[in-house]
Amino acid sequence: MTGFVQALEAHRQGALSREDLLVRIERLLRQGGDAGALLSVLNEEHARAPLPGNLYSEAARILLRWRERRGASQTISAATAAPVGHSAPADGSATVIIDEPFADIAVTGGSDTTGSGDTGPKRFVPPSVSVGAVLQGRFKLIGAIGDGGTSTVFKAIDLRRVEARAHDPYVAVKLLTIPLRDFTRSLVVLQREAQRLQSLPHPNIVRVIDCDRDGRTVFMTMEYLAGESLKRKLSAPGFTGYSRDEAVRIVEAIASALTYAHRNGIIHGDLKPGNVIVTDQDEIKVIDFGIARLIGRSAEIAKGKAREEAPPITALTPLYASPEMLEHEPPDPRDDVYALACIAYELLTGRHPFDGKVATAARDAGMRVTRGETMSRRQWRAITRGLAYERDKRTPTPAQFVEEFRNYPSSREGITAFAGIAAVLLLALLYFVDHGRVEHWIAARRITPPAEGEVFRDCPTCPLMKALPSGRFLQGAAATDADATSLNQPQHAVTIRAPFGIGVYEITVGEFREFVDTTQRKMPGCTVYDGTWHRQPALSWSNVGYPQTANHPVACVSWGDAAAYAQWLSGKTGQHYRLASASEWEYAARARAPDDRPWGLDTQSACRHANVADETAVRRYPGWTVHPCSDGYVYSAPVGSFAPNAFGLYDMLGNVFEWVQDCWRPDYQNAPTDGSAVTTGDCTQHDLRGGSWFTAPSAVGAAARNRFEESYRSSSVGFRVVREIRR
């Protein structure tokens, strides 16, 4: 490594030209130099004394390419990714957003099916973009963590979050490196697509934050994950496949993400193991949704709407691309099914289904999928259907692929299937008596209710729900006896007798907008805060007095508005939606934990879990009593911005207060013990739960209660819904 350091120093002193330095790096690599070790040295040297211009990016790109060719590890450890002087996870774990350098192959002309990517479009290297650069005066690039044929990904610090002393200031910044000749139109395309990707709040989809530009540098910011890619796990020495159960778990998570995206009109287009992250919490996250199509469309614009005979540029990875994608046909959900089937095969066998051949080459050679030793016949048939060379013969949806891929039906599934057959026969008999009523009954009911723990959605634009099990808990039990006294909460034993579905997130602005557009409900006026609380007649749910996107929780909705939304959703889906009872809400918020807050008495940790009154807000509104931490938000945050509770539910505490069904009572005396709502007492007022972005420490917790008239609308009040589960 000494020679490499000396070469860098010689360039700094003008004794070695830029071109000669890059040639010397190539020579070191050809002589057997370790690309990963050289990259680590490059990061350290650049952090010590920044290299001029964009030399760092050029050198890092060469090293990343060689590391990929040599089959080295596809992720950069925290120590390598972050130059000296920048923090990394304390446990030394890898932190990854993308892990396949030069895997985003740009295929043109139909001639490159080897995966080399040499015929891709000429790369555009943004000027002065390297480690140490600050984009938009906000995102400081601190280390290269991946490079592709159309983009470079950096770990970055969001300086605005640092200023707010947020607990997690890191984001991933993806710089597009394709030439954008029609810059304005390309940026419009990218921003429009980014807005669509922002509308994908799903537990298995990495969140896209925004699309922006700095001069002529176009970039996207994304959630930054701690973990490692599925590709790294699959390529680990000695890996020969997961167990059947673990493979099914991973495939189910990926398929759930795909199904949700497809329902929202978004096709992934570049699904591969490198775009699946296994987090430190063992969660499965799919990244780069729609990025392949996004880049393809912007590249097409960049080429001036290329001639009709010229094939469009598409960013994809050939080994996981369907024959149709390689032959430049329009994207289709079945292309994602093909990639999913490839991944499923690798999960069970540790190898690619066609031994490293792309789909068109395997098809032309007449290759067939062989059954792996640990693969059940059911799984082999499912994978074979998913890998069909022709779309019309391929499994049509990810959900159907999962159903076919599951190893064996459980006894419960068998009973359900038998009951389903009996129901169908009965319906067939009744059809001749009153077919209109039977058709409505079928349309309004799911034959198989969601299983406990299942995440489900009853329509493409319906809220994402989680099926919770029945259970017992002590309602009103706070973190300390003092809290319980101050909140007037005597402990009250409750048994939730039946499973129910509850929103994974609070109802968002985007979800609520569909209800308003359909019903034309008028909801003028909102009580807002700008130092004091006062009503503003001109404000409403669509303008709450602070910035919101479609992915923020809807606010300025009354109890009556929330109940009307639930009634409308029930009519739309044929299922019974409503507001939660106070008991159901508290049960969901506690998630079987003894404390009524995930952080217990450690208020310094509150900002990891909830958007509450904090040090960020007190700088805007001096005098507030706040949690001794910073969450980065003065007002509400996009749903899912904080850690979920043990049930996998987000923002049960903080963000916005949530209406529940119950009429107000000062205590739990004679309250129901079966989880149902209180329907007597002062029914002009209803319970509010969970606290909000302005709530002080003493009033945030699953046991905390508030109340307002059912017509009250505030910029700190929203809701989530419950869906009854019929067995």
Side-chain angles (χ1 to χ4, degrees):
M1 300 304 166
T2 304
F4 183 43
V5 174
Q6 291 174 342
L8 292 173
E9 189 59 33
H11 175 72
R12 289 192 184 100
Q13 296 175 1
L16 189 67
S17 71
R18 172 193 179 91
E19 290 71 22
D20 288 341
L21 175 60
L22 296 177
V23 168
R24 187 165 297 187
I25 292 173
E26 293 273 6
R27 186 182 303 138
L28 284 171
L29 293 166
R30 284 195 295 271
Q31 292 172 353
D34 185 330
L38 289 173
L39 182 61
S40 180
V41 172
L42 178 69
N43 278 334
E44 292 174 3
E45 284 296 307
H46 187 65
R48 181 181 66 81
L51 295 167
N54 60 2
L55 178 60
Y56 171 84
S57 294
E58 287 292 297
R61 190 170 292 116
I62 291 171
L63 294 171
L64 287 165
R65 182 190 290 115
W66 272 80
R67 193 181 62 172
E68 172 74 6
R69 290 173 178 173
R70 294 285 176 87
S73 171
Q74 300 304 302
T75 55
I76 302 175
S77 69
T80 303
V84 173
H86 297 290
S87 62
D91 60 1
S93 61
T95 306
V96 177
I97 186 67
I98 187 170
D99 73 328
E100 290 187 279
F102 289 88
D104 295 328
I105 305 301
V107 180
T108 62
S111 60
D112 180 15
T113 57
T114 65
S116 67
D118 294 336
T119 62
K122 183 179 180 180
R123 294 177 62 84
F124 166 72
V125 181
S128 303
V129 176
S130 61
V131 166
V134 179
L135 301 177
Q136 283 285 25
R138 177 175 179 180
F139 302 106
K140 183 174 183 178
L141 308 183
I142 62 173
I145 56 175
D147 206 346
T150 55
S151 62
T152 301
V153 181
F154 289 87
K155 178 181 181 180
I157 291 180
D158 184 345
L159 298 178
R160 190 174 298 172
R161 293 188 186 181
V162 173
E163 181 183 359
R165 289 185 284 178
H167 73 279
D168 181 12
Y170 297 107
V171 295
V173 173
K174 183 163 189 166
L175 274 68
L176 299 188
T177 53
I178 54 175
L180 302 178
R181 295 175 186 169
D182 189 342
F183 180 79
T184 302
R185 293 176 63 195
S186 298
L187 185 60
V188 168
V189 170
L190 294 171
Q191 288 181 328
R192 185 181 300 125
E193 292 294 333
Q195 288 174 357
R196 296 186 70 201
L197 296 173
Q198 286 173 330
S199 68
L200 293 181
H202 189 279
N204 302 116
I205 297 178
V206 171
R207 187 163 56 93
V208 170
I209 300 171
D210 204 359
C211 173
D212 209 336
R213 71 178 180 91
D214 190 318
R216 295 186 66 83
T217 299
V218 178
F219 63 94
M220 298 184 73
T221 49
M222 298 177 286
E223 175 185 10
Y224 190 70
L225 298 177
E228 61 183 1
S229 76
L230 187 59
K231 179 179 178 64
R232 185 183 186 191
K233 291 180 174 292
L234 294 175
S235 60
F239 178 80
T240 58
Y242 283 109
S243 68
R244 293 177 181 178
D245 288 345
E246 181 63 7
V248 167
R249 183 185 78 87
I250 295 172
V251 168
E252 284 179 336
I254 299 172
S256 179
L258 292 173
T259 298
Y260 180 43
H262 291 174
R263 286 175 177 172
N264 283 273
I266 295 177
I267 296 169
H268 192 291
D270 193 23
L271 182 65
K272 56 190 175 186
N275 277 341
V276 178
I277 304 300
V278 183
T279 72
D280 289 348
Q281 290 73 41
D282 208 28
E283 299 171 315
I284 307 300
K285 299 273 190 173
V286 182
I287 70 174
D288 273 6
F289 256 96
I291 299 299
R293 186 165 62 91
L294 179 157
I295 293 172
R297 290 177 64 187
S298 60
E300 188 177 344
I301 289 175
K303 293 177 73 69
K305 293 289 184 180
R307 297 184 306 273
E308 289 186 8
E309 65 270 19
I313 297 174
T314 307
L316 53 82
T317 305
L319 283 181
Y320 300 90
S322 67
E324 295 84 2
M325 293 186 70
L326 293 170
E327 293 169 348
H328 313 295
E329 294 188 19
D332 184 279
R334 289 166 291 185
D335 298 325
D336 286 346
V337 172
Y338 181 92
L340 180 61
C342 282
I343 293 172
Y345 190 93
E346 285 193 68
L347 290 172
L348 289 170
T349 66
R351 64 181 189 274
H352 187 270
F354 297 122
D355 297 324
K357 288 186 179 293
V358 299
T360 49
R363 178 194 63 194
D364 296 344
M367 295 183 69
R368 295 291 180 264
V369 180
T370 58
R371 180 180 169 188
E373 294 180 0
T374 62
M375 191 183 300
S376 71
R377 184 173 297 276
R378 177 187 178 94
Q379 290 172 326
W380 174 61
R381 286 197 301 265
I383 290 172
T384 299
R385 282 199 66 203
L387 292 174
Y389 295 128
E390 299 176 23
R391 276 179 180 165
D392 291 343
K393 297 180 180 178
R394 197 175 303 149
T395 311
T397 67
Q400 184 172 329
F401 177 83
V402 167
E403 286 301 316
E404 296 176 1
F405 181 72
R406 289 192 179 103
N407 188 25
Y408 292 107
S410 66
S411 58
R412 176 184 170 185
E413 288 175 327
I415 294 171
T416 300
F418 177 80
I421 292 171
V424 169
L425 292 175
L426 179 59
L427 287 173
L429 178 62
L430 294 175
Y431 187 85
F432 294 99
V433 179
D434 190 346
H435 65 273
R437 182 174 299 177
V438 171
E439 287 174 350
H440 177 75
W441 191 92
I442 293 173
R445 288 165 174 79
R446 288 173 51 148
I447 297 297
T448 305
E452 293 179 4
E454 180 182 348
V455 175
F456 65 95
R457 191 186 303 270
D458 287 323
C459 71
T461 55
C462 292
L464 191 69
M465 308 296 288
K466 180 75 173 283
L468 300 189
S470 56
R472 299 179 180 179
F473 75 105
L474 202 57
Q475 189 169 10
T480 67
D481 290 339
D483 282 342
T485 301
S486 65
L487 295 170
N488 197 17
Q489 298 302 307
Q491 297 177 0
H492 176 62
V494 174
T495 300
I496 304 294
R497 300 190 181 280
F500 63 96
I502 190 168
V504 173
Y505 307 102
E506 293 159 323
I507 296 299
T508 65
V509 172
E511 289 165 343
F512 197 73
R513 179 174 287 113
E514 183 186 6
F515 158 69
V516 177
D517 290 345
T518 302
T519 64
Q520 296 297 303
R521 185 180 178 89
K522 304 300 181 184
M523 293 169 282
C526 184
T527 299
V528 297
Y529 186 88
D530 59 6
T532 61
W533 286 102
H534 58 280
R535 188 175 185 276
Q536 289 277 19
L539 299 183
S540 71
W541 68 272
S542 61
N543 178 12
V544 298
Y546 54 79
Q548 284 192 308
T549 68
N551 211 26
H552 276 73
V554 69
C556 293
V557 291
S558 68
W559 185 90
D561 299 332
Y565 173 88
Q567 184 178 10
W568 167 80
L569 191 59
S570 298
K572 176 179 177 178
T573 62
Q575 302 294 340
H576 187 194
Y577 283 86
R578 54 175 172 78
L579 297 179
S581 69
S583 296
E584 290 169 332
W585 188 95
E586 187 171 334
Y587 174 69
R590 288 178 178 277
R592 292 176 169 162
D595 286 336
D596 71 333
R597 306 171 182 132
W599 56 89
L601 298 177
D602 180 16
T603 53
Q604 291 184 337
S605 300
C607 294
R608 297 195 189 102
H609 302 273
N611 175 23
V612 291
D614 68 321
E615 293 176 354
T616 309
V618 81
R619 285 193 287 275
R620 173 68 177 85
Y621 296 112
W624 281 19
T625 300
V626 299
H627 296 74
C629 60
S630 292
D631 58 36
Y633 297 92
V634 175
Y635 304 104
S636 70
V639 298
S641 295
F642 299 85
N645 70 9
F647 275 155
L649 308 176
Y650 293 82
D651 304 310
M652 292 299 296
L653 302 182
N655 224 14
V656 292
F657 280 104
E658 299 178 17
W659 289 110
V660 296
Q661 282 191 62
D662 297 50
C663 300
W664 171 253
R665 276 190 181 183
D667 54 42
Y668 291 123
Q669 186 175 0
N670 299 321
T673 60
D674 62 355
S676 59
V678 173
T679 57
T680 59
D682 183 2
C683 289
T684 64
Q685 300 186 91
H686 292 273
D687 277 20
L688 284 167
R689 292 302 190 111
S692 74
W693 48 264
F694 84 91
T695 307
S698 63
V700 178
R705 303 170 64 204
N706 205 332
R707 70 189 189 278
F708 271 102
E709 296 80 8
E710 63 179 41
S711 60
Y712 179 73
R713 298 187 180 104
S714 166
S715 60
S716 66
V717 174
F719 70 105
R720 77 178 70 213
V721 292
V722 153
R723 201 267 257 177
E724 295 185 356
I725 295 177
R726 304 181 180 96
R727 296 296 186 192

